[in-house]
Amino acid sequence: GGQPIPPPITDTSLKLVVDKDHQWKPLRAGDQRGPCPGLNALASHGWLPRNGIVTPGEIVTAVQNGYNMEWKRAVLVTYAAFLVNGNHLTNLLSLGGMSWLTGHAPPPPALASGLNTHGTFEGDASLTRSDAFLGDNHSFNETLFQQLVDISNKVGGGKYNASAAAEVRFQRVQDSIARNPTFNFANPRFNTAFVEAVFPIVFFIDGRLRAAGETGLDLKVMRGFFEDHRMPKDFHRRGTAAHDYIPGFNNGSVNNFVADPNFMGTQTELVCALYEKFVNSTVALYPNPHGALRAALNQNLDNFYVAAEAHCDQIKPYN
Ligand code: HEM
Ligand code: MG
């Protein structure tokens, strides 16, 4: 059943991630990898179980250790995915497809079928993975990666930077509009698609380069993460989550920075809309849970809410 969230890590310095205990290893038969290059690479370097069968707590800790992802953001993304793709009875999730290693699943409509499951968390217009309707929604796609390389060469000076991300994001959506009659880019995919387009810039640039002012991701390094689940040889994570910032302005004098009330209003709605959406998806999967399953779902819904509570009213479908 559900377990409490592990606490934030305490050392958030810039440091070596690919140390001697976390070397890349090739896949063995049955190892699960899927649509997320960040988690795939953590598993192939042993920061997550190498077989790709993980608990949500392991993800929360691993994304902090490997990339210095901020704890609350990690909790939000992890429990969103776990609620819809995980097995609440065994507390296990496959980073890829359905696996017997996650244990006996609750009855349908529950899925518990891993991150590959289309239309729950995984969605359309991914950077390097095809739309489910058009093909394989979880494996690296060379054609799509070449489009990303071309765009990065054209507008990113040969790197995947913010300009390239914006253009790739746009092109992928246009492509799906033109070719995929089932294209879905509504909430929550609308949110996750934009976030994922900048993750490579935020997390895959070596911390030492970033500290020296680098703002673009080398395309060979990017291919390593996306195709081979592989970090560069001596990859260093970034230092403490780039000082969190909020949109705002100096209110008439220096050192008098205040939040822009209108912008924060919008921001709050987005987070809460995403929160509510995932709770509703969970209820659709588990319309009437009993006993241990109900208890586990309530624990994991509480865990998910930890990431939204500053902004949103809690929704308690099973109380
Ligand atoms: C995509 C899950 C953290 C980088 C995805 C997708 C899932 C997922 C399900 C597929 C969405 C789609 O493209 O259709 C998660 C979960 C995380 C997590 C549960 C828990 C914290 C991270 C981190 C990074 C990352 C820390 C970077 C270090 C990416 C990128 C994509 C992606 C770049 C887009 C891949 C593409 O569009 O080709 N993630 N992720 N993720 N994730 Fe993660
Ligand atoms: Mg996708």
Side-chain angles (χ1 to χ4, degrees):
Q3 287 169 2
I5 313 169
I9 62 171
T10 48
D11 173 6
T12 57
S13 61
L14 190 167
K15 71 175 186 190
L16 180 68
V17 170
V18 184
D19 56 25
K20 72 175 191 336
D21 295 332
H22 297 94
Q23 295 293 314
W24 181 85
K25 287 188 190 161
L27 295 180
R28 303 153 306 183
D31 286 354
Q32 295 290 336
R33 299 292 183 272
C36 177
L39 300 180
N40 289 346
L42 290 171
S44 285
H45 285 268
W47 284 103
L48 283 170
R50 292 183 188 265
N51 67 0
I53 306 298
V54 307
T55 70
E58 285 172 337
I59 295 181
V60 168
T61 298
V63 297
Q64 294 176 87
N65 281 327
Y67 306 116
N68 239 332
M69 187 183 226
E70 193 263 328
W71 182 81
K72 216 169 223 194
R73 178 166 287 275
V75 169
L76 181 78
V77 184
T78 301
Y79 284 94
F82 191 78
L83 280 168
V84 292
N85 293 160
N87 183 326
H88 293 268
L89 292 173
T90 59
N91 204 38
L92 291 170
L93 168 75
S94 164
L95 297 186
M98 182 79 110
S99 166
W100 59 270
L101 291 174
T102 57
H104 188 65
L111 292 164
S113 48
L115 294 183
N116 287 358
T117 312
H118 175 64
T120 47
F121 193 117
E122 190 287 318
D124 293 332
S126 300
L127 309 177
T128 64
R129 270 68 171 163
S130 172
D131 286 5
F133 178 84
L134 299 171
D136 178 338
N137 72 344
H138 53 274
S139 304
F140 179 80
N141 182 307
E142 184 67 43
T143 308
L144 295 180
F145 190 71
Q146 279 311 320
Q147 291 169 5
L148 183 150
V149 166
D150 290 345
I151 290 171
S152 300
N153 284 331
K154 217 174 283 164
V155 304
K159 290 191 171 147
Y160 184 80
N161 63 8
S163 307
E167 187 61 23
V168 171
R169 182 67 282 147
F170 176 74
Q171 295 294 346
R172 295 291 302 120
V173 169
Q174 297 314 300
D175 184 44
S176 293
I177 289 174
R179 292 197 301 133
N180 178 358
T182 70
F183 179 47
N184 189 312
F185 208 59
N187 181 29
R189 183 61 190 146
F190 181 81
N191 291 307
T192 59
F194 280 91
V195 171
E196 285 156 14
V198 293
F199 271 8
I201 302 166
V202 178
F203 294 120
F204 294 158
I205 295 175
D206 190 283
R208 295 164 298 176
L209 293 175
R210 168 183 300 282
E214 179 61 66
T215 56
L217 177 62
D218 180 273
L219 294 170
K220 283 209 193 73
V221 171
M222 188 166 189
R223 179 189 282 278
F225 277 101
F226 278 75
E227 182 175 23
D228 299 326
H229 329 305
R230 187 169 197 157
M231 302 175 180
K233 193 162 82 323
D234 60 346
F235 180 67
H236 285 56
R237 71 182 189 193
R238 59 180 301 159
T240 303
H243 315 282
D244 258 342
Y245 66 91
I246 49 169
F249 45 82
N250 259 348
N251 200 8
S253 57
V254 297
N255 292 321
N256 190 16
F257 189 78
V258 295
D260 174 351
N262 298 321
F263 191 92
M264 290 308 284
T266 315
Q267 187 81 325
T268 297
E269 281 169 25
L270 263 185
V271 172
C272 299
L274 181 130
Y275 165 72
E276 185 175 326
K277 183 79 189 182
F278 274 101
V279 173
N280 289 342
S281 304
T282 305
V283 174
L285 296 169
Y286 302 92
N288 192 15
H290 293 287
L293 177 60
R294 188 184 188 92
L297 281 162
N298 276 330
Q299 170 81 66
N300 287 319
L301 284 164
D302 284 349
N303 290 347
F304 183 39
Y305 179 63
V306 167
E309 66 193 338
H311 311 281
C312 323
D313 293 334
Q314 185 168 14
I315 305 163
K316 296 187 160 207
Y318 304 126
N319 287 8

